[in-house]
Amino acid sequence: MEKLNLKIVSNPIISNNLAIIRDKNTDSEKFSSALKRIAYALFYEASNNLPLVDVNIETPVANANCSVFDKDMQLIVAPILRAGLIFQEIAQKLFPFANIHHIGMYRDEKTLEPVWYYDKRKEIKKDKNKVYVMILDPMLATGNSSVYSIENFINKGVLEQNITFISLIASLQGIENVNSKFPNVKIITASLDEKLNYKGYIVPGLGDAGDRIFNTLD
Ligand code: URA
C-alpha cells in the first residue's frame, strides 16, 4: 500500500474525550456528549477542502477582506445508519446549508452484495466540481460499508477527490480497504486502532457504537 490518504486529528481535548468514550462504564448520555465534542474537530479538519470566495465586509471600524463558503457549492452530508447519526447534529450546526442524505445498507451473507435498505441520496444536479460529500460513520472497521457508500456517490457523479470519510476510530485494515480502491478519498479519524477481532469489532475500540449511543446494550 502506497501512502495512506489519512488524517488523524489529535489534541488533548480529543484524547480526554476518547478515554471517556472507550470506557465501558460510560453511559449513553456521556458517551454521546463526548463523541460530539470530538466531532467538531473532525469537521473542522474535513472543511479544509471546501471552496471559499472572497468578500468585503464592513466592520464597525473599517472594511475587511474576508472569505466565506462559496454559495455555488453543494455539500452532501451522508450519515451511515445508525451510528453515523451521532455526527449529524454537529454537521448541521457547522454546515446549515448541507443536504443530509441518510444511507443504510448491509451485506447479504449469501451474495456478499450490499443491500440498501435506506437511501436518501439524490441525483447530483450542480456542477460536479462544486459537489462535496462527507460520509459519516464513527467506526471504520472492515471498510466494506464505507466502500459501498463511496462507490455509490461516485456512480452518481461525485468526484472521488471531493469525498471525505469521517470516522471516530478506524482500523488499518479498513483504511487500507478504502484507500486501495479510492486513493483520492481522504479519511479523517481521531484514532487508528490496532486490529479487528474475529467478530469484526475494532480492538481496543469502544464496542458497538450504535448500541452505546442508543442505549441498546443487553
Ligand atoms: N462497528 C462498531 O460499532 N464497532 C466496531 O468495533 C466495529 C464496527
Side-chain angles (χ1 to χ4, degrees):
M1 160 72 53
E2 294 292 300
K3 198 170 163 291
L4 296 172
N5 194 355
L6 169 72
K7 173 73 185 182
I8 303 173
V9 186
S10 170
N11 63 44
I13 296 174
I14 292 179
S15 303
N16 190 66
N17 283 287
L18 264 177
I20 295 171
I21 286 168
R22 288 189 193 277
D23 187 338
K24 67 176 187 180
N25 295 315
T26 297
D27 66 24
S28 277
E29 196 274 322
K30 289 197 172 66
F31 183 94
S32 297
S33 306
L35 213 159
K36 287 177 191 173
R37 286 193 283 269
I38 296 178
Y40 280 102
L42 300 174
F43 284 118
Y44 288 155
E45 176 63 32
S47 74
N48 273 325
N49 71 340
L50 299 180
L52 295 171
V53 290
D54 295 336
V55 289
N56 191 271
I57 303 278
E58 210 177 323
T59 80
V61 180
N63 277 34
N65 293 325
C66 301
S67 300
V68 295
F69 283 130
D70 183 348
K71 286 198 172 52
D72 289 339
M73 152 178 65
Q74 180 182 11
L75 174 61
I76 297 169
V77 170
I80 300 183
L81 300 175
R82 65 183 163 147
L85 291 173
I86 191 75
F87 285 142
Q88 180 188 319
E89 178 191 325
I90 310 304
Q92 284 183 294
K93 277 190 200 201
L94 295 173
F95 313 112
F97 50 85
N99 304 127
I100 311 294
H101 292 193
H102 294 103
I103 52 185
M105 112 282 293
Y106 63 89
R107 193 167 66 143
D108 185 286
E109 297 290 321
K110 290 203 183 81
T111 64
L112 302 186
E113 288 299 314
V115 179
W116 290 75
Y117 64 88
Y118 199 77
D119 180 7
K120 275 289 177 193
R121 288 163 309 124
K122 302 251 186 325
E123 292 304 323
I124 305 299
K125 296 203 185 88
K126 289 214 172 190
D127 168 6
K128 65 179 178 181
N129 290 302
K130 296 219 172 172
V131 177
Y132 292 79
V133 174
M134 294 180 185
I135 304 176
L136 318 178
D137 191 346
M139 307 304 276
L140 173 49
T142 62
N144 290 335
S145 49
S146 326
V147 165
Y148 299 142
S149 325
I150 294 166
E151 207 166 60
N152 270 270
F153 277 111
I154 288 175
N155 291 342
K156 285 223 178 324
V158 178
L159 299 176
E160 190 181 314
Q161 65 269 24
N162 287 1
I163 301 177
T164 306
F165 194 93
I166 301 176
S167 70
L168 174 75
I169 299 180
S171 75
L172 187 58
Q173 185 183 321
I175 292 167
E176 286 185 338
N177 187 7
V178 173
N179 267 182
S180 64
K181 295 176 179 92
F182 305 109
N184 297 312
V185 171
K186 186 170 185 184
I187 297 170
I188 295 175
T189 190
S191 178
L192 175 53
D193 275 17
E194 260 168 55
K195 56 181 181 190
L196 299 180
N197 70 11
Y198 75 101
K199 284 180 164 174
Y201 280 101
I202 297 178
V203 179
L206 50 75
D208 187 297
D211 280 340
R212 298 204 58 196
I213 294 162
F214 297 108
N215 200 15
T216 50
L217 285 164
D218 288 336

